[in-house]
Amino acid sequence: MAGSFKGKGHARDLIEYCIADAKEKGRSGVCALSSKKKKPFLSEKKFLLKYGFEVADTAGDDYELLALSFDGRKPRFSESAKAMRTDDRALTIYYGVQCPYIPNCVEQVRMYCDKNRIPLNLVAVDTLEKAKRVPCIFNNYAVFYNGAFQTTHLLNETFLKKMLHL
């Protein structure tokens, strides 16, 4: 939590509710995406470790899957997610709509690519099946170019030109 919400116990209340709910429903545990270094929009590792979460798997240089297992089982990233590559050479963006800024950002990228004749594939991740097929660690927005993972940051024209070397 940050800003005026920091120190009010909201994160504590949320994680405690999540753990209690998972236990009540007979789940095998709770997991969360985090990272070795603090990243925007990801759970803070230090916070989760206080609640008994452990690193269950890693992907890339930074991403970690933290888990609080109730039965000893540990979740894993899929091998395709760990690869963080795609066969598609075009600018490819996988996106969800949990963040209110994403639809506008996607539209701006689409318009820029149309105007500049840049091949673009936009993949709305709107089902569990699609989410399982995303070729990277997914946090609502993932950008690939020439088959390689680039970023999870929303693109603006300046960043897009730099990434595409225009």
Side-chain angles (χ1 to χ4, degrees):
M1 294 284 175
S4 65
F5 297 106
K6 190 172 179 116
K8 305 244 192 269
H10 298 303
R12 180 198 66 232
D13 291 347
L14 183 59
I15 195 68
E16 289 176 359
Y17 175 85
C18 184
I19 292 168
D21 186 57
K23 285 180 178 179
E24 180 183 310
K25 291 180 177 167
R27 304 293 189 221
S28 61
V30 177
C31 64
L33 181 61
S34 191
S35 59
K36 293 176 185 173
K37 298 179 216 162
K38 188 174 178 178
K39 286 184 179 275
F41 311 111
L42 289 182
S43 301
E44 260 193 74
K45 182 179 178 177
K46 285 192 282 186
F47 174 75
L48 294 169
L49 293 175
K50 289 181 193 176
Y51 284 88
F53 282 72
E54 298 175 341
V55 176
D57 202 1
T58 60
D61 293 332
D62 290 328
Y63 293 102
E64 296 180 323
L65 184 61
L66 276 71
L68 176 62
S69 179
F70 307 146
D71 62 8
R73 292 190 292 171
K74 302 283 182 176
R76 302 280 259 189
F77 290 125
S78 69
E79 289 306 313
S80 62
K82 284 183 171 191
M84 298 181 73
R85 297 202 54 77
T86 180
D87 292 333
D88 199 335
R89 308 307 291 166
L91 176 63
T92 303
I93 300 174
Y94 293 85
Y95 67 95
V97 292
Q98 290 91 340
C99 171
Y101 298 108
I102 290 176
N104 182 50
C105 178
V106 166
E107 182 59 19
Q108 287 182 32
V109 169
R110 187 193 62 71
M111 288 173 32
Y112 179 83
C113 289
D114 283 352
K115 178 181 167 186
N116 293 284
R117 295 187 167 114
I118 298 168
L120 173 67
N121 290 324
L122 297 170
V123 182
V125 180
D126 52 8
T127 67
L128 177 60
E129 293 75 28
K130 287 181 182 178
K132 287 180 178 182
R133 290 192 306 263
V134 174
C136 70
I137 307 309
F138 184 65
N139 186 31
N140 291 326
Y141 195 83
V143 179
F144 288 80
Y145 185 59
N146 285 330
F149 174 76
Q150 300 294 314
T151 187
T152 59
H153 294 284
L154 299 181
L155 299 179
N156 60 33
E157 187 173 324
T158 302
F159 188 85
L160 189 57
K161 285 179 181 179
K162 183 178 176 184
M163 187 180 72
L164 300 173
H165 306 291
L166 300 176

